[in-house]
Amino acid sequence: MKNGKKDIRALTKEQLQQFFVSQGDKSFRGTQVYEWLWGKGAHSFEDMTNISKDTRQMLKDNFVINHIRVDQMQRSSDGTIKNAVKLHDDLTVESVLIPTKTRTTACVSSQVGCSLDCKFCATAKLKRMRNLNPDEIYDQVVAIDNESRLYFDKPLSNIVFMGMGEPLMNYNNVLKAIEMITSPEGLGMSPKRITVSTSGVPKMIKKMADEEVKFKLAVSLHSAIDEVRTSIMPFNATFPLKDLRESLEYWYAKTGSRITYEYVVWKGINDSKKDVDALVRFCKYVPCKVNLIEYNPIGDDLFMQAPEETTNMYVRELERNHITCTVRRSRGKDIDAACGQLANKSKEVTV
């Protein structure tokens, strides 16, 4: 709310239609405004050029459009772009555009700060201020799509919810944002090009499965041994691996969609054969693939990337057990845009 006015994008198309009828206008006017807000990404009522000035003024008198603003943009030496996104209440989140030769991927945030307490993640050190609204999530994607077209001459191809926050702790708003991103009235992207990454909230994973969502699921796993996982991801004490495994089995039974496990190997934490064997066992419960991710330091000496021979041991054992795995090199490390580094730190902006 700003000056007592409601954010117009909190209204459904039907509610907008009803509002216009209540004002003595035709319901189709609500459809026109809805198209401007979502399909055309209007930042102000003045942008709505096929609507009369009197109607635009009436909208301005009753509503606001709480549009995000890219406050700072940084470009990495590898082409990655990080946006510092200013919200209507002056809070800031970050989103990232990751380019490759064949695609561009948006990494978007779902919370200001984070609800969880993973010790290796810079975002977890920030206090969770609030959940992002669906339109704030949607706007991040629109901004990155525009950058993808401008700097890489191609539309955005993929979206990952791997930015700031735990998406399943903002469940309703994340799903509403995805609904608009995939809607023909929004961006019209295929849900198969969207991945929601969670640290593992079993109840909400089951809820997603029941709703028969079409997007992909990734789990930030990092250990398949409860004691180890709890030591680096303390919330695992509340959501242990047994419960997580059960929810993932439920997910696969309902959706038929295999799961991606995100996994960082740290020196002295999860670098033994015992850790590898536990991961192999966990992978056999549900069809899956494993992304072995390069660690991105956040200034904590407790966490150090394991040597390459340890990563090779993981690859060897996973492949020997017919489990698909990929070693994923980090992008955007020089601007703190890599996985686990998003913490509202800005460096000199380069465009």
Side-chain angles (χ1 to χ4, degrees):
M1 303 282 282
K2 187 183 290 185
N3 300 323
K5 298 177 186 178
K6 187 170 186 175
D7 184 350
I8 193 170
R9 287 189 294 176
L11 301 182
T12 65
K13 181 165 67 173
E14 291 71 25
Q15 288 171 328
L16 268 174
Q17 291 169 340
Q18 290 166 10
F19 170 78
F20 275 98
V21 170
S22 74
Q23 299 295 309
D25 208 332
K26 304 289 190 204
S27 64
F28 81 86
R29 194 71 66 200
T31 304
Q32 283 183 307
V33 171
Y34 192 81
E35 288 172 354
W36 276 108
L37 293 171
W38 296 103
K40 299 177 182 177
H43 286 216
S44 75
F45 297 114
E46 294 306 313
D47 294 337
M48 302 178 182
T49 51
N50 65 343
I51 295 172
S52 71
K53 286 186 178 180
D54 287 345
T55 301
R56 280 181 266 163
Q57 185 59 51
M58 182 268 292
L59 289 170
K60 200 181 300 183
D61 291 341
N62 285 275
F63 301 104
V64 292
I65 304 174
N66 286 330
H67 214 280
I68 68 160
R69 175 169 56 88
V70 176
D71 196 38
Q72 283 190 313
M73 189 189 83
Q74 298 168 256
R75 294 190 73 179
S76 166
S77 58
D78 63 24
T80 299
I81 292 174
K82 181 172 78 168
N83 292 328
V85 174
K86 187 74 74 174
L87 308 175
H88 69 92
D89 52 6
D90 286 332
L91 294 173
T92 300
V93 294
E94 293 179 335
S95 56
V96 180
L97 167 58
I98 306 162
T100 68
K101 289 182 179 180
T102 57
R103 66 174 64 179
T104 54
T105 300
C107 176
V108 299
S109 294
S110 56
Q111 295 180 311
V112 185
C114 188
S115 302
L116 301 181
D117 49 9
C118 302
K119 294 183 178 180
F120 51 84
C121 180
T123 308
K125 297 181 183 298
L126 303 177
K127 178 183 177 183
R128 190 194 74 83
M129 303 297 290
R130 67 173 176 87
N131 289 333
L132 293 186
N133 296 325
D135 52 277
E136 293 171 322
I137 297 169
Y138 182 88
D139 284 351
Q140 291 175 73
V141 176
V142 172
I144 291 178
D145 181 45
N146 290 337
E147 291 169 346
S148 178
R149 293 170 189 270
L150 177 62
Y151 296 110
F152 302 101
D153 198 29
K154 64 181 77 169
L156 182 67
S157 57
N158 295 78
I159 302 169
V160 293
F161 281 78
M162 296 183 186
M164 301 171 73
E166 165 53 60
L168 299 194
M169 293 294 192
N170 186 16
Y171 183 89
N172 291 334
N173 289 349
V174 166
L175 262 65
K176 175 62 178 176
I178 293 175
E179 179 186 332
M180 291 311 305
I181 290 165
T182 57
S183 168
E185 295 178 312
L187 297 181
M189 288 189 70
S190 168
K192 293 180 180 179
R193 294 184 173 273
I194 299 173
T195 299
V196 172
S197 178
T198 176
S199 292
V201 187
K203 179 181 177 181
M204 306 315 290
I205 291 171
K206 288 182 176 180
K207 184 174 173 63
M208 282 196 302
D210 284 336
E211 296 193 27
E212 299 181 349
V213 300
K214 303 301 182 186
F215 52 78
K216 297 175 182 177
L217 177 65
V219 176
S220 184
L221 188 61
H222 309 303
S223 179
I225 300 173
D226 267 315
E227 296 76 15
V228 176
R229 195 167 193 257
T230 300
S231 72
I232 58 176
M233 305 168 79
F235 71 89
N236 185 72
T238 305
F239 304 127
L241 288 166
K242 176 179 176 294
D243 294 347
L244 176 60
R245 185 190 82 201
E246 181 189 333
S247 71
L248 296 176
E249 290 172 332
Y250 187 86
W251 162 273
Y252 186 76
K254 282 277 189 174
T255 69
S257 175
R258 73 171 178 171
I259 293 136
T260 297
Y261 294 125
E262 309 285 354
Y263 199 103
V264 179
V265 186
W266 291 285
K267 184 179 179 180
I269 294 176
N270 59 352
D271 59 352
S272 72
K273 182 66 163 50
K274 177 183 175 183
D275 295 294
V276 183
D277 291 343
L279 176 60
V280 168
R281 286 194 298 274
F282 196 84
C283 286
K284 290 186 175 180
Y285 292 117
V286 183
C288 65
K289 62 178 180 178
V290 176
N291 278 344
L292 294 169
I293 305 171
E294 182 181 359
Y295 178 58
N296 305 299
I298 60 169
D300 188 334
D301 292 340
L302 177 64
F303 294 95
M304 291 186 291
Q305 176 74 42
E308 190 170 353
E309 54 262 34
T310 306
T311 302
N312 291 340
M313 174 180 68
Y314 266 89
V315 172
R316 187 169 58 251
E317 289 302 310
L318 288 166
E319 290 182 344
R320 191 171 67 83
N321 284 276
H322 310 291
I323 299 163
T324 301
C325 71
T326 303
V327 178
R328 202 173 79 197
R329 303 300 177 190
S330 290
R331 304 287 300 276
K333 287 195 288 187
D334 56 330
I335 56 170
D336 294 318
C339 215
Q341 288 187 320
L342 299 186
N344 290 337
K345 292 194 296 182
S346 294
K347 298 178 180 177
E348 184 179 350
V349 181
T350 55
V351 180

